[in-house]
Amino acid sequence: MNIYPVLLTAQEAADILRVSRWRIYDLIAQNVIPAVRLGRQIRIPRDKLWELIQAQRQAI
């Protein structure tokens, strides 16, 4: 997981989760995935995405 930058683009997060970029934007809007806005750009903290993945794995 550390091969990715600290802040991911929506496309990078989508590639990791194997979903569409638009699905990432939907999950951000629903506050499922935390994100930060840098001007007009949205970035997802890598560690927060990893925590979300781990939480989902434990729920299964």
Side-chain angles (χ1 to χ4, degrees):
M1 191 68 171
N2 290 333
I3 62 172
Y4 294 100
V6 174
L7 294 174
L8 304 168
T9 65
Q11 186 61 56
E12 290 169 334
D15 292 343
I16 291 168
L17 297 178
R18 296 185 183 194
V19 298
S20 73
R21 182 171 49 121
W22 300 111
R23 181 66 180 137
I24 295 297
Y25 290 132
D26 287 341
L27 293 171
I28 290 169
Q30 297 170 19
N31 294 320
V32 174
I33 296 177
V36 294
R37 184 173 289 278
L38 302 171
R40 295 180 61 193
Q41 300 177 351
I42 293 176
R43 295 291 184 261
I44 298 121
R46 177 187 66 202
D47 294 339
K48 296 294 182 184
L49 184 64
W50 184 246
E51 289 172 12
L52 176 69
I53 293 168
Q54 292 300 322
Q56 292 298 316
R57 286 181 60 188
Q58 292 175 358
I60 296 175

Short mmCIF file of all heavy atoms in Angstrom, two decimals:
data_model
loop_
_atom_site.label_atom_id
_atom_site.label_comp_id
_atom_site.label_asym_id
_atom_site.label_seq_id
_atom_site.Cartn_x
_atom_site.Cartn_y
_atom_site.Cartn_z
N MET A 1 0.82 -1.19 0.00
CA MET A 1 0.00 0.00 0.00
C MET A 1 0.87 1.26 0.00
O MET A 1 0.44 2.29 -0.44
CB MET A 1 -0.92 -0.04 1.22
CG MET A 1 -1.99 0.99 1.20
SD MET A 1 -3.17 0.66 -0.08
CE MET A 1 -4.39 1.83 0.29
N ASN A 2 2.09 1.16 0.49
CA ASN A 2 2.96 2.33 0.57
C ASN A 2 3.54 2.74 -0.78
O ASN A 2 4.27 3.71 -0.84
CB ASN A 2 4.08 2.10 1.57
CG ASN A 2 3.57 2.08 2.99
OD1 ASN A 2 2.57 2.70 3.29
ND2 ASN A 2 4.25 1.37 3.85
N ILE A 3 3.23 2.02 -1.83
CA ILE A 3 3.72 2.43 -3.15
C ILE A 3 2.91 3.61 -3.68
O ILE A 3 3.33 4.26 -4.62
CB ILE A 3 3.67 1.27 -4.15
CG1 ILE A 3 2.24 0.79 -4.36
CG2 ILE A 3 4.58 0.15 -3.71
CD1 ILE A 3 2.07 -0.23 -5.47
N TYR A 4 1.79 3.92 -3.04
CA TYR A 4 0.94 5.03 -3.46
C TYR A 4 1.32 6.29 -2.70
O TYR A 4 1.82 6.21 -1.58
CB TYR A 4 -0.53 4.68 -3.22
CG TYR A 4 -1.02 3.57 -4.08
CD1 TYR A 4 -1.13 2.27 -3.58
CD2 TYR A 4 -1.36 3.78 -5.41
CE1 TYR A 4 -1.56 1.24 -4.39
CE2 TYR A 4 -1.80 2.76 -6.22
CZ TYR A 4 -1.90 1.49 -5.71
OH TYR A 4 -2.33 0.46 -6.50
N PRO A 5 1.05 7.47 -3.28
CA PRO A 5 1.33 8.71 -2.55
C PRO A 5 0.44 8.86 -1.32
O PRO A 5 -0.57 8.17 -1.19
CB PRO A 5 1.03 9.80 -3.59
CG PRO A 5 0.19 9.16 -4.62
CD PRO A 5 0.49 7.69 -4.59
N VAL A 6 0.81 9.76 -0.45
CA VAL A 6 0.07 9.98 0.79
C VAL A 6 -1.36 10.43 0.50
O VAL A 6 -2.30 10.01 1.17
CB VAL A 6 0.79 11.02 1.68
CG1 VAL A 6 -0.04 11.36 2.90
CG2 VAL A 6 2.15 10.48 2.09
N LEU A 7 -1.54 11.27 -0.51
CA LEU A 7 -2.87 11.71 -0.93
C LEU A 7 -3.16 11.16 -2.32
O LEU A 7 -2.41 11.40 -3.26
CB LEU A 7 -2.96 13.24 -0.95
CG LEU A 7 -2.85 13.92 0.40
CD1 LEU A 7 -2.81 15.43 0.23
CD2 LEU A 7 -4.00 13.53 1.30
N LEU A 8 -4.24 10.42 -2.42
CA LEU A 8 -4.61 9.78 -3.69
C LEU A 8 -5.61 10.61 -4.47
O LEU A 8 -6.46 11.28 -3.88
CB LEU A 8 -5.26 8.42 -3.40
CG LEU A 8 -4.46 7.42 -2.58
CD1 LEU A 8 -5.35 6.26 -2.16
CD2 LEU A 8 -3.28 6.92 -3.37
N THR A 9 -5.54 10.51 -5.78
CA THR A 9 -6.58 11.09 -6.62
C THR A 9 -7.78 10.15 -6.59
O THR A 9 -7.68 8.99 -6.16
CB THR A 9 -6.11 11.27 -8.07
OG1 THR A 9 -5.86 9.97 -8.63
CG2 THR A 9 -4.87 12.12 -8.17
N ALA A 10 -8.90 10.63 -7.07
CA ALA A 10 -10.09 9.77 -7.15
C ALA A 10 -9.82 8.58 -8.07
O ALA A 10 -10.26 7.46 -7.78
CB ALA A 10 -11.28 10.58 -7.66
N GLN A 11 -9.08 8.80 -9.14
CA GLN A 11 -8.77 7.70 -10.06
C GLN A 11 -7.88 6.65 -9.40
O GLN A 11 -8.08 5.46 -9.57
CB GLN A 11 -8.11 8.22 -11.33
CG GLN A 11 -7.91 7.14 -12.38
CD GLN A 11 -9.22 6.50 -12.83
OE1 GLN A 11 -10.11 7.20 -13.27
NE2 GLN A 11 -9.34 5.20 -12.69
N GLU A 12 -6.89 7.09 -8.63
CA GLU A 12 -6.02 6.13 -7.93
C GLU A 12 -6.82 5.32 -6.91
O GLU A 12 -6.64 4.10 -6.81
CB GLU A 12 -4.87 6.88 -7.25
CG GLU A 12 -3.86 7.44 -8.21
CD GLU A 12 -2.88 8.39 -7.59
OE1 GLU A 12 -3.20 9.03 -6.56
OE2 GLU A 12 -1.77 8.52 -8.15
N ALA A 13 -7.70 5.98 -6.18
CA ALA A 13 -8.55 5.27 -5.22
C ALA A 13 -9.47 4.29 -5.95
O ALA A 13 -9.68 3.17 -5.49
CB ALA A 13 -9.37 6.25 -4.39
N ALA A 14 -10.00 4.71 -7.08
CA ALA A 14 -10.87 3.84 -7.88
C ALA A 14 -10.11 2.62 -8.36
O ALA A 14 -10.64 1.50 -8.34
CB ALA A 14 -11.45 4.62 -9.06
N ASP A 15 -8.87 2.80 -8.77
CA ASP A 15 -8.05 1.68 -9.23
C ASP A 15 -7.79 0.70 -8.09
O ASP A 15 -7.86 -0.51 -8.29
CB ASP A 15 -6.72 2.18 -9.80
CG ASP A 15 -6.89 2.94 -11.10
OD1 ASP A 15 -7.96 2.83 -11.75
OD2 ASP A 15 -5.94 3.67 -11.47
N ILE A 16 -7.53 1.22 -6.90
CA ILE A 16 -7.28 0.36 -5.75
C ILE A 16 -8.53 -0.46 -5.41
O ILE A 16 -8.45 -1.66 -5.16
CB ILE A 16 -6.85 1.19 -4.53
CG1 ILE A 16 -5.46 1.79 -4.77
CG2 ILE A 16 -6.86 0.36 -3.25
CD1 ILE A 16 -5.06 2.85 -3.77
N LEU A 17 -9.69 0.20 -5.40
CA LEU A 17 -10.94 -0.47 -5.04
C LEU A 17 -11.61 -1.19 -6.20
O LEU A 17 -12.61 -1.88 -6.01
CB LEU A 17 -11.92 0.55 -4.44
CG LEU A 17 -11.47 1.21 -3.15
CD1 LEU A 17 -12.50 2.23 -2.69
CD2 LEU A 17 -11.23 0.18 -2.06
N ARG A 18 -11.08 -0.96 -7.40
CA ARG A 18 -11.64 -1.56 -8.63
C ARG A 18 -13.10 -1.17 -8.85
O ARG A 18 -13.97 -2.01 -9.10
CB ARG A 18 -11.48 -3.07 -8.62
CG ARG A 18 -10.02 -3.47 -8.63
CD ARG A 18 -9.86 -4.94 -8.74
NE ARG A 18 -8.43 -5.25 -8.67
CZ ARG A 18 -7.93 -6.41 -9.01
NH1 ARG A 18 -8.71 -7.38 -9.40
NH2 ARG A 18 -6.65 -6.59 -8.93
N VAL A 19 -13.33 0.14 -8.69
CA VAL A 19 -14.63 0.73 -8.98
C VAL A 19 -14.40 1.92 -9.90
O VAL A 19 -13.26 2.30 -10.17
CB VAL A 19 -15.37 1.18 -7.69
CG1 VAL A 19 -15.65 -0.01 -6.78
CG2 VAL A 19 -14.58 2.24 -6.94
N SER A 20 -15.47 2.55 -10.35
CA SER A 20 -15.32 3.71 -11.22
C SER A 20 -14.95 4.95 -10.41
O SER A 20 -15.20 5.02 -9.20
CB SER A 20 -16.61 3.98 -12.00
OG SER A 20 -17.60 4.51 -11.14
N ARG A 21 -14.37 5.90 -11.09
CA ARG A 21 -14.03 7.18 -10.46
C ARG A 21 -15.29 7.86 -9.94
O ARG A 21 -15.28 8.46 -8.88
CB ARG A 21 -13.32 8.06 -11.49
CG ARG A 21 -12.87 9.37 -10.95
CD ARG A 21 -11.99 10.08 -11.95
NE ARG A 21 -12.58 10.11 -13.27
CZ ARG A 21 -12.86 11.20 -13.95
NH1 ARG A 21 -12.57 12.39 -13.44
NH2 ARG A 21 -13.40 11.15 -15.14
N TRP A 22 -16.39 7.72 -10.67
CA TRP A 22 -17.65 8.34 -10.24
C TRP A 22 -18.19 7.70 -8.98
O TRP A 22 -18.81 8.36 -8.16
CB TRP A 22 -18.67 8.31 -11.38
CG TRP A 22 -18.13 9.05 -12.56
CD1 TRP A 22 -17.74 8.52 -13.76
CD2 TRP A 22 -17.82 10.44 -12.64
NE1 TRP A 22 -17.24 9.50 -14.58
CE2 TRP A 22 -17.28 10.69 -13.91
CE3 TRP A 22 -17.95 11.50 -11.76
CZ2 TRP A 22 -16.87 11.96 -14.32
CZ3 TRP A 22 -17.55 12.76 -12.16
CH2 TRP A 22 -17.01 12.97 -13.43
N ARG A 23 -17.95 6.41 -8.81
CA ARG A 23 -18.37 5.74 -7.58
C ARG A 23 -17.59 6.30 -6.38
O ARG A 23 -18.14 6.47 -5.29
CB ARG A 23 -18.16 4.22 -7.69
CG ARG A 23 -18.59 3.46 -6.48
CD ARG A 23 -20.09 3.54 -6.27
NE ARG A 23 -20.47 2.78 -5.10
CZ ARG A 23 -21.33 3.20 -4.20
NH1 ARG A 23 -21.98 4.32 -4.36
NH2 ARG A 23 -21.59 2.47 -3.15
N ILE A 24 -16.32 6.61 -6.60
CA ILE A 24 -15.51 7.22 -5.55
C ILE A 24 -16.11 8.57 -5.15
O ILE A 24 -16.25 8.87 -3.97
CB ILE A 24 -14.04 7.38 -6.00
CG1 ILE A 24 -13.38 6.02 -6.20
CG2 ILE A 24 -13.26 8.22 -4.99
CD1 ILE A 24 -13.26 5.16 -4.96
N TYR A 25 -16.46 9.38 -6.15
CA TYR A 25 -17.08 10.68 -5.85
C TYR A 25 -18.39 10.50 -5.09
O TYR A 25 -18.69 11.26 -4.17
CB TYR A 25 -17.33 11.47 -7.13
CG TYR A 25 -16.06 11.97 -7.79
CD1 TYR A 25 -15.86 11.81 -9.15
CD2 TYR A 25 -15.07 12.62 -7.06
CE1 TYR A 25 -14.70 12.27 -9.77
CE2 TYR A 25 -13.92 13.08 -7.66
CZ TYR A 25 -13.74 12.91 -9.01
OH TYR A 25 -12.60 13.36 -9.61
N ASP A 26 -19.18 9.48 -5.44
CA ASP A 26 -20.42 9.20 -4.71
C ASP A 26 -20.13 8.84 -3.25
O ASP A 26 -20.81 9.31 -2.34
CB ASP A 26 -21.20 8.05 -5.36
CG ASP A 26 -21.87 8.44 -6.66
OD1 ASP A 26 -22.06 9.65 -6.90
OD2 ASP A 26 -22.20 7.52 -7.44
N LEU A 27 -19.13 7.99 -3.04
CA LEU A 27 -18.78 7.57 -1.68
C LEU A 27 -18.24 8.74 -0.86
O LEU A 27 -18.47 8.82 0.35
CB LEU A 27 -17.77 6.42 -1.72
CG LEU A 27 -18.31 5.11 -2.28
CD1 LEU A 27 -17.18 4.11 -2.49
CD2 LEU A 27 -19.38 4.53 -1.37
N ILE A 28 -17.53 9.66 -1.50
CA ILE A 28 -17.06 10.87 -0.81
C ILE A 28 -18.25 11.73 -0.42
O ILE A 28 -18.33 12.21 0.72
CB ILE A 28 -16.08 11.65 -1.70
CG1 ILE A 28 -14.77 10.87 -1.84
CG2 ILE A 28 -15.83 13.04 -1.12
CD1 ILE A 28 -13.83 11.42 -2.89
N ALA A 29 -19.20 11.89 -1.33
CA ALA A 29 -20.39 12.71 -1.04
C ALA A 29 -21.22 12.11 0.09
O ALA A 29 -21.85 12.84 0.86
CB ALA A 29 -21.24 12.84 -2.31
N GLN A 30 -21.22 10.78 0.21
CA GLN A 30 -21.95 10.10 1.27
C GLN A 30 -21.14 10.00 2.57
O GLN A 30 -21.58 9.38 3.53
CB GLN A 30 -22.32 8.68 0.82
CG GLN A 30 -23.26 8.64 -0.36
CD GLN A 30 -23.40 7.23 -0.91
OE1 GLN A 30 -23.10 6.23 -0.25
NE2 GLN A 30 -23.86 7.14 -2.15
N ASN A 31 -19.95 10.59 2.58
CA ASN A 31 -19.05 10.56 3.74
C ASN A 31 -18.59 9.16 4.12
O ASN A 31 -18.28 8.89 5.28
CB ASN A 31 -19.66 11.27 4.95
CG ASN A 31 -19.82 12.75 4.72
OD1 ASN A 31 -18.94 13.38 4.14
ND2 ASN A 31 -20.93 13.30 5.14
N VAL A 32 -18.58 8.27 3.15
CA VAL A 32 -18.06 6.92 3.38
C VAL A 32 -16.54 6.95 3.28
O VAL A 32 -15.84 6.32 4.07
CB VAL A 32 -18.65 5.91 2.36
CG1 VAL A 32 -18.00 4.55 2.49
CG2 VAL A 32 -20.16 5.83 2.52
N ILE A 33 -16.03 7.70 2.31
CA ILE A 33 -14.60 7.87 2.12
C ILE A 33 -14.26 9.31 2.50
O ILE A 33 -14.81 10.24 1.92
CB ILE A 33 -14.19 7.60 0.66
CG1 ILE A 33 -14.44 6.14 0.30
CG2 ILE A 33 -12.73 7.96 0.43
CD1 ILE A 33 -14.12 5.80 -1.15
N PRO A 34 -13.35 9.49 3.46
CA PRO A 34 -12.95 10.85 3.81
C PRO A 34 -12.07 11.44 2.71
O PRO A 34 -11.29 10.72 2.08
CB PRO A 34 -12.16 10.67 5.11
CG PRO A 34 -11.70 9.27 5.09
CD PRO A 34 -12.71 8.49 4.29
N ALA A 35 -12.21 12.72 2.48
CA ALA A 35 -11.43 13.38 1.44
C ALA A 35 -11.11 14.81 1.86
O ALA A 35 -11.79 15.38 2.71
CB ALA A 35 -12.19 13.37 0.12
N VAL A 36 -10.08 15.35 1.26
CA VAL A 36 -9.72 16.74 1.47
C VAL A 36 -9.77 17.45 0.13
O VAL A 36 -9.49 16.87 -0.91
CB VAL A 36 -8.32 16.89 2.11
CG1 VAL A 36 -8.30 16.35 3.51
CG2 VAL A 36 -7.26 16.22 1.27
N ARG A 37 -10.14 18.70 0.18
CA ARG A 37 -10.20 19.51 -1.03
C ARG A 37 -9.02 20.46 -1.02
O ARG A 37 -8.80 21.18 -0.06
CB ARG A 37 -11.52 20.28 -1.09
CG ARG A 37 -11.70 21.05 -2.37
CD ARG A 37 -13.07 21.66 -2.46
NE ARG A 37 -14.11 20.65 -2.70
CZ ARG A 37 -14.41 20.15 -3.90
NH1 ARG A 37 -13.75 20.55 -4.95
NH2 ARG A 37 -15.37 19.27 -4.02
N LEU A 38 -8.26 20.44 -2.10
CA LEU A 38 -7.13 21.34 -2.29
C LEU A 38 -7.46 22.21 -3.49
O LEU A 38 -7.23 21.82 -4.63
CB LEU A 38 -5.84 20.56 -2.54
CG LEU A 38 -5.45 19.57 -1.44
CD1 LEU A 38 -4.29 18.70 -1.88
CD2 LEU A 38 -5.09 20.32 -0.18
N GLY A 39 -8.06 23.35 -3.21
CA GLY A 39 -8.55 24.18 -4.31
C GLY A 39 -9.72 23.46 -4.96
O GLY A 39 -10.69 23.12 -4.29
N ARG A 40 -9.61 23.18 -6.24
CA ARG A 40 -10.67 22.45 -6.95
C ARG A 40 -10.43 20.95 -6.99
O ARG A 40 -11.24 20.20 -7.52
CB ARG A 40 -10.78 23.00 -8.37
CG ARG A 40 -11.24 24.45 -8.40
CD ARG A 40 -11.35 24.97 -9.80
NE ARG A 40 -12.33 24.20 -10.55
CZ ARG A 40 -12.47 24.24 -11.86
NH1 ARG A 40 -11.70 25.03 -12.58
NH2 ARG A 40 -13.38 23.52 -12.47
N GLN A 41 -9.31 20.52 -6.46
CA GLN A 41 -8.96 19.11 -6.51
C GLN A 41 -9.37 18.39 -5.24
O GLN A 41 -9.31 18.95 -4.15
CB GLN A 41 -7.46 18.95 -6.73
CG GLN A 41 -6.96 19.56 -8.01
CD GLN A 41 -5.47 19.44 -8.15
OE1 GLN A 41 -4.77 19.05 -7.23
NE2 GLN A 41 -4.97 19.77 -9.33
N ILE A 42 -9.77 17.13 -5.39
CA ILE A 42 -10.14 16.30 -4.26
C ILE A 42 -9.07 15.22 -4.11
O ILE A 42 -8.68 14.59 -5.09
CB ILE A 42 -11.52 15.64 -4.48
CG1 ILE A 42 -12.60 16.71 -4.48
CG2 ILE A 42 -11.79 14.58 -3.41
CD1 ILE A 42 -13.98 16.19 -4.79
N ARG A 43 -8.62 15.03 -2.88
CA ARG A 43 -7.63 14.01 -2.59
C ARG A 43 -8.11 13.16 -1.42
O ARG A 43 -8.74 13.64 -0.49
CB ARG A 43 -6.28 14.62 -2.24
CG ARG A 43 -5.64 15.37 -3.39
CD ARG A 43 -5.20 14.41 -4.49
NE ARG A 43 -4.51 15.09 -5.56
CZ ARG A 43 -5.06 15.44 -6.71
NH1 ARG A 43 -6.34 15.18 -6.92
NH2 ARG A 43 -4.36 16.03 -7.65
N ILE A 44 -7.78 11.87 -1.50
CA ILE A 44 -8.18 10.92 -0.47
C ILE A 44 -6.92 10.49 0.28
O ILE A 44 -5.97 10.00 -0.34
CB ILE A 44 -8.87 9.69 -1.09
CG1 ILE A 44 -10.14 10.14 -1.79
CG2 ILE A 44 -9.17 8.63 -0.06
CD1 ILE A 44 -10.19 9.82 -3.22
N PRO A 45 -6.88 10.66 1.60
CA PRO A 45 -5.71 10.21 2.36
C PRO A 45 -5.56 8.69 2.25
O PRO A 45 -6.50 7.93 2.50
CB PRO A 45 -6.03 10.63 3.80
CG PRO A 45 -7.05 11.71 3.68
CD PRO A 45 -7.84 11.37 2.44
N ARG A 46 -4.36 8.28 1.85
CA ARG A 46 -4.08 6.85 1.64
C ARG A 46 -4.37 6.05 2.91
O ARG A 46 -4.99 4.98 2.84
CB ARG A 46 -2.62 6.70 1.24
CG ARG A 46 -2.17 5.26 1.07
CD ARG A 46 -0.69 5.17 0.85
NE ARG A 46 -0.01 5.61 2.07
CZ ARG A 46 1.23 6.05 2.10
NH1 ARG A 46 1.94 6.16 1.00
NH2 ARG A 46 1.78 6.42 3.23
N ASP A 47 -3.95 6.56 4.07
CA ASP A 47 -4.14 5.82 5.31
C ASP A 47 -5.62 5.64 5.65
O ASP A 47 -6.02 4.59 6.16
CB ASP A 47 -3.42 6.51 6.46
CG ASP A 47 -1.90 6.49 6.27
OD1 ASP A 47 -1.41 5.64 5.51
OD2 ASP A 47 -1.23 7.33 6.88
N LYS A 48 -6.42 6.66 5.38
CA LYS A 48 -7.86 6.57 5.66
C LYS A 48 -8.53 5.55 4.74
O LYS A 48 -9.42 4.80 5.15
CB LYS A 48 -8.54 7.93 5.53
CG LYS A 48 -8.06 8.94 6.52
CD LYS A 48 -8.45 8.52 7.92
CE LYS A 48 -8.01 9.56 8.93
NZ LYS A 48 -8.28 9.15 10.30
N LEU A 49 -8.09 5.52 3.48
CA LEU A 49 -8.65 4.53 2.55
C LEU A 49 -8.27 3.12 3.01
O LEU A 49 -9.10 2.21 2.99
CB LEU A 49 -8.16 4.78 1.13
CG LEU A 49 -8.75 3.87 0.06
CD1 LEU A 49 -10.25 4.10 -0.07
CD2 LEU A 49 -8.06 4.10 -1.28
N TRP A 50 -7.02 2.94 3.46
CA TRP A 50 -6.57 1.65 3.94
C TRP A 50 -7.38 1.22 5.18
O TRP A 50 -7.78 0.06 5.29
CB TRP A 50 -5.09 1.69 4.26
CG TRP A 50 -4.52 0.39 4.68
CD1 TRP A 50 -4.02 0.08 5.90
CD2 TRP A 50 -4.42 -0.81 3.90
NE1 TRP A 50 -3.60 -1.23 5.93
CE2 TRP A 50 -3.84 -1.79 4.72
CE3 TRP A 50 -4.76 -1.14 2.61
CZ2 TRP A 50 -3.60 -3.08 4.27
CZ3 TRP A 50 -4.52 -2.42 2.16
CH2 TRP A 50 -3.95 -3.38 2.98
N GLU A 51 -7.66 2.17 6.09
CA GLU A 51 -8.48 1.87 7.27
C GLU A 51 -9.88 1.43 6.87
O GLU A 51 -10.45 0.50 7.46
CB GLU A 51 -8.56 3.09 8.18
CG GLU A 51 -7.28 3.42 8.90
CD GLU A 51 -7.33 4.74 9.65
OE1 GLU A 51 -8.44 5.31 9.80
OE2 GLU A 51 -6.26 5.21 10.07
N LEU A 52 -10.45 2.09 5.86
CA LEU A 52 -11.77 1.71 5.37
C LEU A 52 -11.76 0.29 4.81
O LEU A 52 -12.66 -0.51 5.10
CB LEU A 52 -12.23 2.69 4.29
CG LEU A 52 -13.55 2.37 3.61
CD1 LEU A 52 -14.71 2.55 4.58
CD2 LEU A 52 -13.74 3.22 2.38
N ILE A 53 -10.73 -0.04 4.06
CA ILE A 53 -10.61 -1.39 3.49
C ILE A 53 -10.50 -2.42 4.61
O ILE A 53 -11.17 -3.46 4.59
CB ILE A 53 -9.40 -1.47 2.54
CG1 ILE A 53 -9.65 -0.62 1.31
CG2 ILE A 53 -9.11 -2.92 2.15
CD1 ILE A 53 -8.42 -0.40 0.44
N GLN A 54 -9.66 -2.14 5.61
CA GLN A 54 -9.49 -3.06 6.73
C GLN A 54 -10.79 -3.24 7.52
O GLN A 54 -11.13 -4.36 7.91
CB GLN A 54 -8.38 -2.57 7.67
CG GLN A 54 -7.01 -2.63 7.06
CD GLN A 54 -6.61 -4.04 6.66
OE1 GLN A 54 -6.91 -5.01 7.34
NE2 GLN A 54 -5.95 -4.15 5.52
N ALA A 55 -11.53 -2.17 7.73
CA ALA A 55 -12.80 -2.26 8.45
C ALA A 55 -13.81 -3.11 7.69
O ALA A 55 -14.55 -3.89 8.29
CB ALA A 55 -13.37 -0.86 8.70
N GLN A 56 -13.83 -2.96 6.38
CA GLN A 56 -14.74 -3.75 5.56
C GLN A 56 -14.34 -5.23 5.57
O GLN A 56 -15.21 -6.11 5.57
CB GLN A 56 -14.78 -3.22 4.12
CG GLN A 56 -15.43 -1.86 4.00
CD GLN A 56 -16.88 -1.87 4.45
OE1 GLN A 56 -17.64 -2.77 4.11
NE2 GLN A 56 -17.25 -0.88 5.23
N ARG A 57 -13.05 -5.50 5.57
CA ARG A 57 -12.59 -6.89 5.61
C ARG A 57 -12.99 -7.56 6.91
O ARG A 57 -13.34 -8.75 6.94
CB ARG A 57 -11.08 -6.95 5.44
CG ARG A 57 -10.63 -6.67 4.02
CD ARG A 57 -9.14 -6.75 3.87
NE ARG A 57 -8.68 -8.08 4.25
CZ ARG A 57 -7.40 -8.40 4.37
NH1 ARG A 57 -6.48 -7.50 4.17
NH2 ARG A 57 -7.04 -9.61 4.71
N GLN A 58 -12.93 -6.83 8.02
CA GLN A 58 -13.29 -7.39 9.31
C GLN A 58 -14.79 -7.59 9.44
O GLN A 58 -15.24 -8.45 10.19
CB GLN A 58 -12.79 -6.49 10.42
CG GLN A 58 -11.28 -6.48 10.52
CD GLN A 58 -10.75 -5.49 11.53
OE1 GLN A 58 -11.52 -4.77 12.16
NE2 GLN A 58 -9.45 -5.46 11.70
N ALA A 59 -15.57 -6.84 8.70
CA ALA A 59 -17.03 -6.94 8.75
C ALA A 59 -17.54 -8.18 8.01
O ALA A 59 -18.66 -8.60 8.24
CB ALA A 59 -17.68 -5.69 8.18
N ILE A 60 -16.70 -8.74 7.17
CA ILE A 60 -17.13 -9.91 6.38
C ILE A 60 -17.10 -11.16 7.20
O ILE A 60 -16.28 -11.44 7.97
CB ILE A 60 -16.26 -10.07 5.11
CG1 ILE A 60 -16.45 -8.88 4.20
CG2 ILE A 60 -16.57 -11.36 4.38
CD1 ILE A 60 -15.56 -8.86 2.99
#
